[in-house]
Amino acid sequence: MQIQVVKSKIHRVKCTGAELNYIGSITIDEDLMDAANIIQGEKVQIVNNDNGERLETYCIPGPRKTGEITLNGAAARKVSVGDTLILITYAFMDIEEAKVFKPSLVFPDEATNLLK
């Protein structure tokens, strides 16, 4: 049997952009993606602490050392620039593997979204 567990989390970042006229996805500073062990195209759950919205999309890398967190396409309607977000990815694994697995947890600077 396999279960789904948290693989990585980028905790409390500010939304820096909302681009409605884009094909979709979330753009994440590539430094944050690396720190959280998230790869291009991976499914990401976005939790908006300011309005309670939850949504899923896929990620694309943004420029390094910018702190960019931009929701693109329809997802842009679920956020406002400045909203505080939590980004979560999940993985399926066997129960025994899940018992010892440690997720990648990233706590960037809340003002800049940059790694501390």
Side-chain angles (χ1 to χ4, degrees):
M1 177 186 339
Q2 290 199 321
I3 61 171
Q4 192 174 25
V5 298
V6 173
K7 179 184 140 283
S8 56
K9 178 167 85 166
I10 302 174
H11 192 71
R12 297 187 59 86
V13 287
K14 298 289 183 197
C15 176
T16 61
E19 297 293 333
L20 184 59
N21 295 315
Y22 192 84
I23 59 172
S25 71
I26 180 171
T27 305
I28 303 172
D29 178 323
E30 198 166 3
D31 286 339
L32 293 174
M33 287 177 61
D34 288 348
N37 194 28
I38 298 172
I39 63 167
Q40 182 173 344
E42 187 169 354
K43 183 165 105 174
V44 177
Q45 180 182 45
I46 297 117
V47 179
N48 187 327
N49 281 1
D50 291 307
N51 65 17
E53 290 282 355
R54 288 177 174 257
L55 63 118
E56 293 177 342
T57 190
Y58 64 94
C59 64
I60 59 174
R64 292 183 183 277
K65 299 186 184 0
T66 61
E68 181 177 359
I69 303 290
T70 300
L71 275 292
N72 303 304
R77 295 197 182 275
K78 303 289 188 178
V79 298
S80 295
V81 172
D83 283 357
T84 300
L85 309 176
I86 299 172
L87 313 178
I88 308 164
T89 65
Y90 299 89
F92 287 99
M93 52 187 78
D94 295 326
I95 291 175
E96 293 307 312
E97 181 184 8
K99 287 179 181 179
V100 297
F101 177 77
K102 301 293 183 220
S104 298
L105 306 176
V106 179
F107 299 89
D109 182 283
E110 288 188 40
T112 66
N113 292 346
L114 299 176
L115 297 173
K116 296 179 184 178

